[in-house]
Amino acid sequence: MSLPEPANPSDLRALAEQSSAWPFEQARAIVARLKKKPKDEVLFETGYGPSGLPHIGTFGEVARTTMVRHAFRVLTEDKIKTRLIAFSDDMDGLRKVPDNVPNKEMLTEHLGKPLTRVPDPFGTHASFGAHNNARLRAFLDTFGFDYEFASSTDYYTSGRFDATLLLMLERIEKVMEIMLPSLREERAATYSPFLPIDPRTGEVLYVPIVAHDAKSGTISYDDPQTKERVTLPVTGGHCKLQWKPDWAMRWASLGVDYEMAGKDLIDSVKLSGKICAALGAAPPEGFNYELFLDEKGQKISKSKGNGLTIDEWLRYASPESLSLFMYREPKSAKRLYFDVIPRNVDDYQQFLEGFPRQDGRQQLGNPVWHIHAGCPPKADMPVTFQLLLTLVSSSNAENASTLWGFIGRYRPGVTPQTHPKLDAMVGYAINYYRDFVAPTKKFREPSESERAALSDLRDALSNMGEDSSAEDIQNVVYEIGRREPFLDAVKKGKDGRPGVSLDWFNMLYQVLLGQEKGPRFGSFVAVYGLANAVAMIDGALARSA
């Protein structure tokens, strides 16, 4: 990924130095770090625990870190080399069988083994770890992230971590002083940062270590089954570290400068930072983002499979809408469920449309600047996602050609060929309607006063010409709604007359379409067609007669 060429990089940097956008705030902390200890290269890292299929939270960490990385490149005018490592903890032992995978009985037989030694329950890769790593990489590659994938198994077994592992063994007393106060008394009694990989069973063993020998670089333990004393080197993949020391060892070994983590890991970050310092290295910069929650307000989990998967979001919306969701308020907890998708699709388009009208300072605060690494594409989306959903709902469209018939009449010359992104959004809207709108569609009966208003609206629309604009239609809808019980005495119209409450427009969608809310009604009728809208109102009046 090359840095976009601004007219003047120094002017852009000056604006970035004053920007309140959170990626720039994070990047400025890295710049300050380099002033204390200059480096020729800055290393960004994200971590992934491949115990379950990748979820959106994993993607979010890479997306957000990429935004910080780009912000750093702007602040340094791209004069310092940067790298991003997506590190997989695939040497961790499989502690439990995930809920959302096949062949669970087979996996049960391999509990305790490193994920890269557990057979793939899907039967497509050499191991369960390899399968989940591939799933993550496939999406990151599709999205175009610039990253290097790193496997814990590869780094341990290749000897890449050997020097730092030996240093950890040499300074084990300092590490223990940091870790023991954080542990329960029972666990503290047998704790060691080193976990042997049983040469007999291949399992990651959580056993008491009876001896540490820094000079020979070994640890010793008693085999829990044979009771024999076993001595293993801590190098070459014969052992791995418990995860907090492992995190610290990785930071120190690789020289990681930036890594963010979830709010639930605040204490872990602090402990790992202390261990990293004990190894003679500076812990990375970073921040703790809030967690993603499912529809019940519970933390999403790879093993439980709650919340949304990457593939599910992309069935209903574009990658850019997902990036917007990740950009927004990273330090606020957010529901990650299907109902957040439509808003993020349309908000992305609004940010994109507003970008050319902003000055340089405002553009650096626009999410699309960060989503597209400083070069957002030109906005060209003639209709909103919410409008497409309403069109699908009103016409019960089961194919894209029906929707394109409406769009073509509303926007002559707009076709799937001229607007491929809109064509993709048409497909998203049909999928979303089938899976989420249609099953919950419920028409409510209008009251007598609402029937009267609907009848007047029907007559007014039937008297309008087919070439009426969306604005003309909206004005008529607004005028018909200016009556009790829809008057809004507080909100005045442009002409000073009483305004119209949202209850009027909500009623239209609830009675006519069986949904709670919708897009601007005038725009919907302009696309759907006046005759079709009149027929819809006739149908609603007939149902409630």
Side-chain angles (χ1 to χ4, degrees), residues 481-497:
R482 187 178 273 125
R483 64 176 74 192
E484 293 293 349
F486 306 116
L487 285 177
D488 187 337
V490 177
K491 183 180 180 182
K492 300 293 185 180
K494 294 180 180 179
D495 56 4
R497 299 166 63 194

Side-chain angles (χ1 to χ4, degrees), residues 423-536:
D423 191 38
M425 197 159 80
V426 165
Y428 296 144
I430 292 174
N431 289 339
Y432 193 93
Y433 171 77
R434 286 173 178 168
D435 293 350
F436 303 112
V437 179
T440 60
K441 201 171 182 180
K442 185 178 180 180
F443 297 91
R444 79 166 174 84
E445 295 291 314
S447 65
E448 282 304 313
S449 61
E450 290 171 343
R451 280 182 57 84
L454 284 170
S455 181
D456 289 347
L457 178 61
R458 179 228 181 268
D459 293 341
L461 293 178
S462 64
N463 289 323
M464 297 188 75
E466 282 296 329
D467 59 348
S468 298
S469 68
E471 192 63 31
D472 291 338
I473 297 170
Q474 184 72 9
N475 289 336
V476 168
V477 174
Y478 197 89
E479 186 61 35
I480 297 298
R482 187 178 273 125
R483 64 176 74 192
E484 293 293 349
F486 306 116
L487 285 177
D488 187 337
V490 177
K491 183 180 180 182
K492 300 293 185 180
K494 294 180 180 179
D495 56 4
R497 299 166 63 194
V500 179
S501 74
L502 288 176
D503 292 342
W504 164 237
F505 297 98
N506 291 341
M507 182 276 288
L508 293 177
Y509 286 103
Q510 292 164 7
V511 172
L512 300 180
L513 292 167
Q515 62 191 53
E516 286 300 313
K517 297 183 182 297
R520 200 163 186 261
F521 198 76
S523 298
F524 160 66
V525 174
V527 181
Y528 191 49
L530 286 163
N532 289 331
V534 168
M536 177 186 293

Side-chain angles (χ1 to χ4, degrees), residues 23-42:
F24 285 120
E25 292 177 345
Q26 292 295 297
R28 285 196 287 269
I30 307 172
V31 172
R33 175 189 180 92
L34 292 185
K35 290 181 179 179
K36 297 176 183 177
K37 189 176 181 180
K39 293 179 64 178
D40 295 330
E41 177 183 271
V42 168

Side-chain angles (χ1 to χ4, degrees), residues 48-92:
Y48 168 55
S51 57
L53 302 182
H55 60 57
I56 289 180
T58 309
F59 160 74
E61 202 165 291
V62 180
R64 288 168 169 170
T65 304
T66 296
M67 293 174 188
V68 176
R69 180 187 180 190
H70 176 253
F72 173 81
R73 295 175 65 186
V74 170
L75 286 171
T76 57
E77 299 182 28
D78 210 23
K79 294 176 181 178
I80 298 176
K81 182 180 179 182
T82 63
R83 294 166 55 217
L84 169 60
I85 291 182
F87 199 96
S88 173
D89 289 308
D90 56 18
M91 201 167 171
D92 288 354

